[in-house]
Amino acid sequence: MQDLAGKPVIVRTYEAAKATNLFDEVYVVTDSEVIFQEIEANGGKAIMSQKEHDCGSDRIAEAVENMDIDIVVNVQGDEPFTSREGLEKVLAVFNEPDADKIDLASLMTEIHDWKEINDPNTVKVIVDKDNFALYFSRSPIPYPRDKNVDIQYYKHKGIYAFRKQAIMDFYRLSMRSLEAVEKIECIRYLEYGKNIKMAVSNTTGVEIDTPEDLVRANKLLKESKPDAVNNKFRNFPMVPKVVFGEGCFDQLTSILSSHKKEKAPFIFLVDDVFEKNNEFLDRINLRFNDKLIFISAEEEPKTSQVDDLVKDIKSEFTHTPSGIIGIGGGTVMDLAKAVSIMLINKGSAADYQGWDLVKQKAVYHVGIPTISGTGAEVSRTTVLTGPVRKLGINSDFTPFDQVILDPDLTIGVPKNQWFYTGMDCFIHCVESLNGTFLNAFSQSYGEKAYDLCLEIFLGDSLSEEESRAKLMMASWHGGMSIAYSQVGVAHAMSYGLGYVLGTKHGVGNCIVFQHLEEFYPNDVALFKKMVQKHNIEIPQGICKNLSKEQMDTMITVALGMVPLWENALGTDWEAIITPEKLKELYLRM
Ligand code: NAD
Ligand code: ZN
């Protein structure tokens, strides 16, 4: 019941076990009324054990006696840092060729520090050549008489996976002297000649046996807290593989082949603008049970749409897909990222809107943009409209594992749309370069993308081919620029339009941006020149007939984008952007 960063240790352990998503059920089995109530109060499941027990395994045996189960895993209550990786390893031994010899499995971690090897609170284990346990002890084992022999010491981790029969057998066996003297329960199994298979897991964590452990654990949790949104020093992943060049789309099949898992399909999410384009579809090359799903980009992607896609894929295929491949604009990029996350993480996509809420690595996902500007192909977010907000799923698992940049794929984009999406890139740069979060990292990407946009949209020297290739790279750099920064006023207001009127992101930004002279005077002037040069229509008067309620919602949604305002106007932004101010701006649009 000791506090660990605001929650009792046992609650943290329970939540960690549940969060692995490896189990059909997770229970806390306890003889303590206080613990029982704490778990239930936190929405967990607890079982009171009836009898007195000498050890945890006996208590679990009593609890599972009448349950219909194959394997039960005992996670000790002082293991709040229980990780999926360790539990997966301990379960995996039951799929190995010698599995029928195994009565139970447990985990061990390499240790190197003599202080730890000598510490009686650390239980050491030695194993045979097949990793079956030979003995457990609080003494250092083996004793290092010859200091020149290279020996690896292992510490035992208090996690056990039993076959049901094994745990019921052990329950009936009485304690013998080796167990009694060392106070290590798994010695009992060895004393009765049972086989304990040890798996190695080297993930760091702290078991909490002593008050000092608790102090260390609190420190560890503090350090691993997700970085604050505006944390100055972000540690973010980048797209690890990217291929660029006219026609490189034809490398898709070979790129995917090394990621193909048996029986697991690739799912292609493809913009429905390509639905009748057989020449293009033939290049996709579906194999085995691969599936192609056409996606309409008419509306902004929604969390419910992601949930439906995931549900359909799960009900059609028993195996988790080998990969998700998104082919289209920002809409399809974002859906592909979100679907790959939600195939692994439980619940609704709406539960993950925000910063760093995704806990499990997504399915392998590939982004193939067919229109340039959003930077969605490179960004760490997937923007979704949910039941209560329009907000990204911004996480380390969001970025694509692979991106294919083939400028030829953007050939058919209609002119207005080319401009709207291209301006998304221009506006990303303006907002990043004029923001208070700017640093040299963002600036170097932002300035390059900004210059490319001016060359493409105001210059006269580029061929169409050059222009397509450059816009693709501008989009990439614009996205990278925001990775270390943020967008600003136009995006915050465009989100409001999108939420209430369904205005699409690119055109929404343009509608807003032309009225933002007071924030970005030079760039709004340049923007107007570009509009004129390309003879682009930008819708007018779209907020004229809003009801009071709609206007209020629009303002609330826009004001909710706190990091954007902070970037644009600094920490005192609320003194500048009042609801009245926003209303006045919206009414001009
Ligand atoms: P889009 O994906 O909505 O597509 C716009 C239109 O272009 C659609 O009608 C589509 O069918 C068509 N199109 C796409 N490729 C085409 C082609 N090759 N030929 C002909 N038509 C084609 O447009 P977008 O501007 O790329 O994306 C907007 C979305 O991106 C918004 O939902 C926005 O929220 C999101 N976005 C995401 C990020 C991010 O970092 N995740 C950043 C910015 C924007
Ligand atoms: Zn944008």
Side-chain angles (χ1 to χ4, degrees):
M1 288 299 295
Q2 289 288 319
D3 181 79
L4 180 54
K7 289 182 187 178
V9 173
I10 184 68
V11 173
R12 295 246 171 229
T13 306
Y14 178 79
E15 288 176 351
K18 245 187 109 74
T20 64
N21 285 326
L22 289 169
F23 305 107
D24 295 318
E25 295 287 353
V26 178
Y27 295 96
V28 171
V29 187
T30 178
D31 59 357
S32 152
E33 192 66 46
V34 178
I35 288 177
F36 182 88
Q37 274 163 13
E38 183 67 29
I39 293 296
E40 295 236 303
N42 278 279
K45 290 183 181 172
I47 297 172
M48 273 306 268
S49 59
Q50 304 300 316
K51 307 190 191 116
E52 288 248 338
H53 297 287
D54 296 321
C55 69
S57 304
D58 284 354
R59 186 172 297 128
I60 289 175
E62 182 204 313
V64 301
E65 189 159 12
N66 297 317
M67 287 186 193
D68 179 20
I69 58 161
D70 302 317
I71 288 174
V72 57
V73 176
N74 176 1
V75 177
Q76 304 208 348
D78 59 4
E79 293 266 7
F81 298 100
T82 293
S83 71
R84 180 180 166 101
E85 188 254 353
L87 290 170
E88 245 173 353
K89 285 197 169 148
V90 83
L91 289 171
V93 304
F94 291 97
N95 292 324
E96 286 167 13
D98 59 3
D100 52 347
K101 276 199 277 178
I102 302 172
D103 296 300
L104 69 151
S106 191
L107 277 184
M108 59 185 186
T109 302
E110 290 174 7
I111 45 175
H112 305 275
D113 178 3
W114 254 106
K115 237 175 88 195
E116 198 173 11
I117 296 168
N118 266 317
D119 182 352
N121 284 314
T122 303
V123 174
K124 273 70 63 179
V125 55
I126 45 176
V127 294
D128 71 8
K129 68 176 190 10
D130 298 320
N131 278 356
F132 282 98
L134 294 170
Y135 191 60
F136 299 88
S137 182
R138 295 183 185 277
S139 302
I141 47 172
Y143 179 81
R145 169 68 197 273
D146 183 344
K147 301 276 189 293
N148 294 319
V149 176
D150 187 20
I151 182 83
Q152 176 64 59
Y153 281 85
Y154 288 102
K155 154 176 140 174
H156 179 219
K157 280 192 169 180
I159 287 172
Y160 301 97
F162 300 89
R163 295 189 186 284
K164 177 166 181 187
Q165 195 51 53
I167 199 167
M168 298 318 298
D169 285 351
F170 297 139
Y171 184 30
R172 296 179 193 110
L173 304 171
S174 56
M175 191 190 296
R176 298 184 57 87
S177 54
L178 287 176
E179 178 187 356
V181 69
E182 292 249 24
K183 295 264 174 310
I184 300 175
E185 65 180 271
C186 48
I187 293 179
R188 185 185 317 179
Y189 316 134
L190 294 179
E191 287 185 272
Y192 285 95
K194 303 292 181 185
N195 296 324
I196 308 180
K197 178 89 171 189
M198 303 299 296
V200 184
S201 161
N202 284 325
T203 49
T204 51
V206 182
E207 284 173 44
I208 300 174
D209 298 322
T210 64
E212 297 82 67
D213 290 343
L214 195 64
V215 173
R216 276 206 298 155
N218 262 304
K219 204 168 149 250
L220 199 76
L221 260 193
K222 236 203 207 134
E223 283 165 2
S224 68
K225 271 231 178 87
D227 296 344
V229 170
N230 299 332
N231 195 322
K232 268 192 178 163
F233 304 110
R234 289 192 199 160
N235 186 8
F236 59 85
M238 301 182 25
V239 171
K241 291 198 113 178
V242 53
V243 49
F244 174 87
E246 281 108 34
C248 72
F249 179 64
D250 289 327
Q251 277 172 234
L252 176 61
T253 307
S254 74
I255 287 171
L256 293 182
S257 63
S258 63
H259 294 272
K260 173 76 184 168
K261 299 206 185 93
E262 209 184 331
K263 296 187 188 149
F266 284 109
I267 310 287
F268 295 81
L269 305 180
V270 181
D271 193 302
D272 67 1
V273 78
F274 297 105
E275 195 160 1
K276 303 248 152 56
N277 188 340
N278 288 326
E279 196 195 329
F280 178 73
L281 296 176
D282 284 346
R283 294 168 70 193
I284 292 181
N285 204 359
L286 297 184
R287 298 172 147 200
F288 309 108
N289 56 349
D290 291 350
K291 188 179 170 83
L292 192 155
I293 302 172
F294 286 112
I295 303 285
S296 163
E298 194 148 338
E299 290 180 3
E300 298 277 296
K302 296 186 183 57
T303 55
S304 57
Q305 189 182 6
V306 174
D307 294 346
D308 289 346
L309 280 163
V310 169
K311 207 170 113 217
D312 290 350
I313 294 169
K314 282 189 167 169
S315 66
E316 185 168 346
F317 300 99
T318 41
H319 291 80
T320 304
S322 296
I324 303 295
I325 296 95
I327 305 177
T331 301
V332 178
M333 294 296 101
D334 280 357
L335 281 171
K337 292 197 247 186
V339 166
S340 72
I341 289 171
M342 294 311 301
L343 279 166
I344 303 289
N345 292 274
K346 292 210 165 130
S348 161
D351 304 338
Y352 297 91
Q353 285 180 283
W355 277 266
D356 297 306
L357 301 175
V358 179
K359 295 289 176 254
Q360 316 270 357
K361 193 174 182 317
V363 167
Y364 173 74
H365 48 304
V366 180
I368 308 178
T370 63
I371 178 170
S372 303
T374 63
E377 65 280 10
V378 72
S379 76
R380 189 184 182 264
T381 189
T382 156
V383 183
L384 300 173
T385 304
V388 286
R389 58 177 76 86
K390 183 168 179 189
L391 188 61
I393 299 179
N394 198 316
S395 82
D396 277 357
F397 306 114
T398 310
F400 286 112
D401 298 297
Q402 167 82 57
V403 171
I404 295 180
L405 296 178
D406 182 345
D408 281 355
L409 299 184
T410 66
I411 285 176
V413 177
K415 192 168 173 205
N416 276 341
Q417 186 64 56
W418 163 79
F419 187 84
Y420 299 149
T421 302
M423 282 303 110
D424 194 19
C425 176
F426 179 70
I427 295 168
H428 288 161
C429 298
V430 170
E431 293 183 323
S432 164
L433 293 171
N434 290 285
T436 60
F437 296 177
L438 189 69
N439 62 14
F441 186 105
S442 292
Q443 192 174 6
S444 62
Y445 285 106
E447 282 176 350
K448 185 70 214 173
Y450 182 87
D451 290 347
L452 285 168
C453 286
L454 295 187
E455 200 183 347
I456 295 159
F457 291 99
L458 284 180
D460 288 311
S461 59
L462 297 179
S463 69
E464 289 206 354
E465 200 178 343
E466 285 169 329
S467 168
R468 281 194 298 270
K470 290 199 177 202
L471 187 52
M472 200 153 240
M473 287 322 296
S475 175
W476 185 272
H477 281 73
M480 281 304 301
S481 177
I482 318 169
Y484 226 122
S485 163
Q486 250 307 347
V487 282
V489 181
H491 274 76
M493 294 193 68
S494 173
Y495 278 148
L497 290 181
Y499 189 85
V500 174
L501 296 174
T503 314
K504 296 217 55 188
H505 185 85
V507 68
N509 283 350
C510 291
I511 292 170
V512 175
F513 195 69
Q514 57 182 344
H515 297 288
L516 298 184
E517 292 97 340
E518 68 179 282
F519 304 102
Y520 310 111
N522 293 335
D523 295 309
V524 172
L526 286 174
F527 173 82
K528 287 182 174 166
K529 270 197 200 161
M530 298 183 203
V531 173
Q532 222 175 11
K533 179 172 165 84
H534 296 285
N535 202 6
I536 302 294
E537 300 140 38
I538 297 185
Q540 305 290 337
I542 64 166
C543 295
K544 255 196 332 230
N545 300 319
L546 289 184
S547 69
K548 181 179 179 312
E549 208 187 347
Q550 279 177 314
M551 180 57 89
D552 288 348
T553 309
M554 201 176 268
I555 290 169
T556 309
V557 169
L559 286 177
M561 308 305 298
V562 176
L564 281 63
W565 294 112
E566 263 185 35
N567 176 45
L569 304 167
T571 41
D572 289 337
W573 64 272
E574 278 168 300
I576 306 167
I577 291 295
T578 58
E580 295 72 43
K581 173 80 192 171
L582 272 185
K583 185 173 172 184
E584 179 215 307
L585 280 169
Y586 272 132
L587 284 176
R588 277 194 237 160
M589 290 165 191

